[in-house]
Amino acid sequence: MTTTRVAVPRKGRPLEAVLERLAARTGTTELADDIISTLRYEKAVTKGNQSADRNVYDRLSSYSTLTDRTEPEFSMLRDDRDGMPRRIVFDSVTVPTAAGDVQLVGREEPFRALRTHEFALGFDSADLVLEEVVQLRDDPLTSIGEINDRIDPLDTDVRVVTGLGDTVYHTLLATPEVIDSQDGALDREFVTGYEGALCISPRYERLVEAVLGTAALDGISFTYPEGGVEEEADIAATGIGVYLTVTGSTARDHGLELGERLFPSETVLLENASERTDASAAVAELFEAPEATALQSV
């Protein structure tokens, strides 16, 4: 039977979204839950929020099953936190499906692995696609469905196929004082009329430029949060900013009001069109939500 390799993140929300979608299609809920719970526990250990009664090598050995590819394998990486602790992350697992065997392969940068033609299919955050390849234009980018239209075909063969719906939004935040300085709601139009500092995470500079549109940024200068401080605190000190908002409770604790949801930070299925096969096309259909409209791959 054909095996289709699919690049996935090694940890975090995007990997969980992939595992949950695959479990919904194949009934492998127990497998998905096992991988997710293992990685959440290891994250807690790495962050010092959970204690472990075995060393990291013993835990890695107990988690991985090397003789059965339908059981998960894990590997160990150096975490980028102070002291560079070792962190156990996802490596691979093979899941039998109606579209053939699907081998999920952990990669630090799945999108870039597709760009270098290592895989036909993969999953990564839509944020990274915006940061890497979308063209900046005067008008704003407002939805996942608009991404492919802004990818230069000479730049990459990778396109977005569909989103997985694990949506957290990049949101406009501002203090009441800044909002009151202009008439109208806290939205893109508000930013167009605003002049001054706008606080953002430095890793999202191109993303913010894309989702606000370059025309709205005349008269605006970016500032960036200082290390060790909650980003909402720095946004409150600046007066206005863009942040990846889950519930908004922390923002409100800092006296900020939530404005327009600018763009969904969502895990997306990506395809390298030049590597497409009948098998990879069938696997792509497996991951698509039946109620969702998939994007056109070029």
Side-chain angles (χ1 to χ4, degrees):
M1 181 175 287
T2 302
T3 298
T4 301
R5 298 169 69 247
V6 179
V8 299
R10 288 188 176 275
K11 59 186 185 299
R13 174 174 60 90
L15 175 59
E16 292 184 8
V18 174
L19 291 168
E20 288 166 356
R21 175 61 60 85
L22 187 58
R25 298 290 184 273
T26 61
T28 53
T29 303
E30 185 176 349
L31 173 66
D33 289 346
D34 177 52
I35 296 171
I36 290 170
S37 62
T38 296
L39 294 176
R40 286 181 178 179
Y41 170 75
E42 287 299 324
K43 177 182 179 180
V45 171
T46 302
K47 295 182 70 174
N49 298 327
Q50 180 79 44
S51 59
D53 56 5
R54 297 176 295 172
N55 66 48
V56 67
Y57 299 103
D58 288 341
R59 300 198 307 275
L60 177 62
S61 177
S62 69
Y63 297 151
S64 296
T65 304
L66 303 181
T67 57
D68 184 352
R69 65 194 189 112
T70 64
E71 294 294 327
E73 292 183 37
F74 297 85
S75 57
M76 192 160 48
L77 296 178
R78 289 286 188 180
D79 195 270
D80 59 4
R81 301 176 192 279
D82 290 343
M84 297 180 67
R86 302 174 188 87
R87 180 167 176 178
I88 291 175
V89 296
F90 175 74
D91 189 76
S92 68
V93 71
T94 298
V95 179
T97 78
D101 287 349
V102 175
Q103 183 185 23
L104 303 182
V105 182
R107 285 289 184 269
E108 282 300 289
E109 299 173 331
F111 175 51
R112 291 172 184 167
L114 264 72
R115 293 192 72 187
T116 56
H117 298 261
E118 295 178 52
F119 296 84
L121 297 173
F123 290 89
D124 215 327
S125 170
D127 295 351
L128 187 59
V129 182
L130 267 62
E131 283 292 314
E132 292 270 331
V133 297
V134 299
Q135 299 168 337
L136 300 180
R137 299 178 184 173
D138 284 348
D139 55 311
L141 178 69
T142 60
S143 70
I144 298 291
E146 298 173 9
I147 292 178
N148 287 344
D149 290 337
R150 295 208 183 186
I151 297 177
D152 185 344
L154 298 179
D155 188 20
T156 181
D157 293 321
V158 180
R159 298 292 184 273
V160 176
V161 179
T162 190
L164 293 190
D166 57 326
T167 308
V168 180
Y169 284 92
H170 295 276
T171 305
L172 269 173
L173 307 173
T175 61
E177 293 77 14
V178 168
I179 296 173
D180 291 343
S181 68
Q182 293 180 210
D183 294 330
L186 182 59
D187 54 17
R188 288 181 175 87
E189 186 176 348
F190 181 96
V191 176
T192 301
Y194 171 80
E195 292 187 357
L198 182 78
C199 187
I200 65 171
S201 171
R203 67 192 177 103
Y204 287 135
E205 185 166 315
R206 266 189 112 258
L207 181 149
V208 171
E209 291 174 334
V211 302
L212 287 175
T214 54
L217 296 174
D218 289 343
I220 287 178
S221 60
F222 290 142
T223 64
Y224 309 102
E226 298 179 3
V229 179
E230 287 184 327
E231 292 198 21
E232 292 96 332
D234 277 301
I235 293 173
T238 302
I240 186 171
V242 177
Y243 188 62
L244 195 59
T245 306
V246 180
T247 64
S249 59
T250 307
R252 295 185 184 94
D253 290 342
H254 289 282
L256 293 166
E257 296 187 16
L258 276 65
E260 182 177 357
R261 290 176 167 181
L262 299 174
F263 192 81
S265 175
E266 186 172 338
T267 304
V268 290
L269 171 61
L270 302 163
E271 180 186 43
N272 188 313
S274 68
E275 302 296 330
R276 183 188 302 154
T277 64
D278 290 344
S280 69
V283 170
E285 291 181 2
L286 176 72
F287 281 104
E288 292 172 11
E291 68 278 4
T293 301
L295 306 180
Q296 178 67 38
S297 294
V298 180

